[in-house]
């Protein structure tokens, strides 16, 4: 039997659409090798935003970019014949285009080109901290309340947020822990942003507080200065990680830390640097710990009253490796629950 059917014509290649995304947290022009390869090999490179930060670097690299914003149909047609078209979306993406391509693909009536999402640059760990710095900068400039705050005026919030963080840790609530860590981080970024302004001496203080005006005369610094100093401190105080020193146990690490601090601070007394404004039990335990670590032969003062009894308890707790503040809070929580039970009230919400 003879086959008289006509030979089927080969299907026309549908081409390829590449959506090349980049991170605004990475310097423009720093792209992955696959990104540069596809940019140079593409038949067309399209970008709707004439101010896209990558454009100067693409031009410098010899990549011709067309300022165009085709819809989904036009983009599919541009790929006819097997052509490759690269699209550079803006920072917020191009929802109109991606939704249109999804509708075409779902219709089943259009031969779709291959569609590829290619990250040209990736966020490194900690990249969202850059967003935080930018948002804090804008809020400081544009918010009527935030723009008037001073270091001194914000001090109470730092204390409150630190206590809320401790409570989240003790409750074991991971969602609250993440939120409270953010609130503590906000205090750091907020203070660093205020310090960056370097207001002249005698600047008007909040509520006419002359002490706040005095703080404005201090030298300006930024969040980068804060982070940089912290990095240097961590490296310097971990010679067993970044240097040739050896440390096999946590006690070895503590000894390294204390020796390094002693050289850095050049303190006259083991009590130097202990904030006396902290809660009493924590203060007593810290003093006892410093005296014990420094081998200072001193007896606990004796006297009448509950204060001396608490001092002795705090020193004993510290010697036994117990944080008296944490221990007292735990006991107080049990006491609180007992009070609520006696009142016929359920346990407080966590």
């Amino acid at each position: 039997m003879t086959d008289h059917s006509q030979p089927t014509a080969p299907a026309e290649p549908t081409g390829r659409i590449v959506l090349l995304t980049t991170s605004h947290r990475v310097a423009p022009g720093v792209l992955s090798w696959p990104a540069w390869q596809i940019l140079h090999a593409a038949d067309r490179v399209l970008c709707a935003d004439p101010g896209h930060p990558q454009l100067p670097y693409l031009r410098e690299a010899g990549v011709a970019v067309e300022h165009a914003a085709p819809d989904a149909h036009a983009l599919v047609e541009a790929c006819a014949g097997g052509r490759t078209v690269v699209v550079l979306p803006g920072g917020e993406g191009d929802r109109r285009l991606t939704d249109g391509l999804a509708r075409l693909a779902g219709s089943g009536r259009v031969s779709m080109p291959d569609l590829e999402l290619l990250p040209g640059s990736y966020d490194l760990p900690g990249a969202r901290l850059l967003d935080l710095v930018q948002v804090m900068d804008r809020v400081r400039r544009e918010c009527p309340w935030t723009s008037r705050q001073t270091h001194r005026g914000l001090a109470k919030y730092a204390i409150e947020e630190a206590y809320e963080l401790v409570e989240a840790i003790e409750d074991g609530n991971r969602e609250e822990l993440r939120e409270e860590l953010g609130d503590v981080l906000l205090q750091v970024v907020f203070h660093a942003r205020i310090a960056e302004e370097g207001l002249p001496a005698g600047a008007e203080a909040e509520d006419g507080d002359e002490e706040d005006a005095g703080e404005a005369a201090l030298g300006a610094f930024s969040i980068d200065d804060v982070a940089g100093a912290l990095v240097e401190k961590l490296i310097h105080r971990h010679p067993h990680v970044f240097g040739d020193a050896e440390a096999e146990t946590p006690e070895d690490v503590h000894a390294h830390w204390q020796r390094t601090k002693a050289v850095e601070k050049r303190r006259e007394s083991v009590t130097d640097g202990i904030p006396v404004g902290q809660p009493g039990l924590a203060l007593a335990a810290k003093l006892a710990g410093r005296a014990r670590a420094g081998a200072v032969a001193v007896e606990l003062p004796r006297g009448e009253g509950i204060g001396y009894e608490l001092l002795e308890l705090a020193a004993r707790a510290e010697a036994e490796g117990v944080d008296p503040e944490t221990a007292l809070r735990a006991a107080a929580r049990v006491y609180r629950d007992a009070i609520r039970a006696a009142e016929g009230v359920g346990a407080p919400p966590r």
Side-chain angles (χ1 to χ4, degrees):
M1 181 176 179
T2 304
D3 184 2
H4 296 288
S5 61
Q6 296 296 321
T8 302
E12 183 177 345
T14 54
R16 179 185 181 195
I17 298 172
V18 179
L19 300 179
L20 181 62
T21 61
T22 57
S23 171
H24 67 278
R25 305 178 192 98
V26 177
V30 180
L31 300 176
S32 64
W33 178 239
W36 283 117
Q37 285 182 308
I38 194 64
L39 285 166
H40 283 289
D43 295 285
R44 298 176 69 186
V45 179
L46 310 179
C47 181
D49 179 11
H52 196 293
Q54 299 291 346
L55 295 184
Y57 301 92
L58 299 186
R59 286 194 292 266
E60 186 177 347
V63 177
V65 182
E66 304 174 37
H67 293 160
D71 60 18
H73 283 281
L75 189 57
V76 169
E77 291 175 359
C79 295
R83 291 188 290 271
T84 295
V85 178
V86 175
V87 178
L88 290 175
E92 301 299 323
D94 191 338
R95 187 68 177 270
R96 176 191 62 86
L97 179 60
T98 54
D99 286 351
L101 290 171
R103 284 193 296 270
L104 284 180
S107 70
R109 297 190 297 269
V110 178
S111 295
M112 293 293 294
D114 293 334
L115 182 60
E116 178 182 350
L117 180 64
L118 177 62
S121 56
Y122 302 84
D123 287 342
L124 296 174
R128 294 307 301 272
L129 293 175
L130 299 178
D131 292 344
L132 173 59
V133 172
Q134 291 180 343
V135 170
M136 184 71 250
D137 179 67
R138 181 172 179 180
V139 172
R140 174 66 173 176
R141 286 185 282 108
E142 300 181 15
C143 173
W145 183 86
T146 304
S147 61
R148 291 181 55 83
Q149 300 311 303
T150 64
H151 294 302
R152 191 176 300 276
L154 290 174
K156 61 182 179 182
Y157 299 110
I159 296 172
E160 291 173 4
E161 299 298 354
Y163 277 124
E164 290 179 9
L165 172 60
V166 170
E167 185 173 4
I169 292 172
E170 293 178 346
D171 286 345
N173 187 312
R174 302 293 291 181
E175 289 299 317
E176 288 186 6
L177 175 59
R178 181 177 64 180
E179 180 179 352
E180 298 306 336
L181 283 170
D183 289 343
V184 171
L185 179 59
L186 170 60
Q187 298 303 308
V188 175
V189 177
F190 201 163
H191 281 281
R193 177 61 183 82
I194 293 173
E196 187 177 351
E197 295 169 6
L199 298 175
E204 183 179 356
E206 183 180 32
D207 298 328
D209 190 332
E210 293 182 0
E211 290 183 320
D212 282 332
E215 79 177 20
L218 300 177
F221 60 86
S222 70
I223 188 65
D224 288 317
D225 298 313
V226 174
L230 178 57
V231 168
E232 292 177 4
K233 178 186 290 186
L234 287 173
I235 292 175
H236 187 56
R237 293 188 182 178
H238 289 80
H240 53 290
V241 176
F242 301 99
D244 299 329
E246 295 183 1
E248 302 294 335
T249 67
E251 290 73 23
D252 294 339
V253 175
H254 183 72
H256 278 312
W257 187 274
Q258 292 302 323
R259 284 196 298 269
T260 306
K261 283 182 64 176
V263 173
E264 290 176 357
K265 303 296 184 180
R266 302 184 182 278
R267 290 169 172 161
E268 296 180 351
S269 168
V270 296
T271 65
D272 290 346
I274 298 178
V276 295
Q278 63 183 301
L281 283 178
L283 173 61
K286 189 68 174 180
L287 289 168
R290 285 281 187 89
R292 182 169 56 83
V296 179
V298 58
E299 294 290 333
L300 288 174
R302 306 294 177 181
E304 296 294 329
I306 193 68
Y308 289 96
E309 296 177 26
L310 289 173
L311 174 63
E312 185 175 358
L313 285 172
R316 192 183 84 190
E318 192 282 328
E320 296 175 358
V322 176
D323 177 11
E325 281 287 339
T326 302
L328 180 57
R329 274 198 305 274
R333 286 169 180 264
V334 174
Y335 184 37
R336 176 200 59 188
D337 293 344
I339 294 173
R340 294 177 68 92
E343 294 172 328
V345 181
R350 295 291 185 179

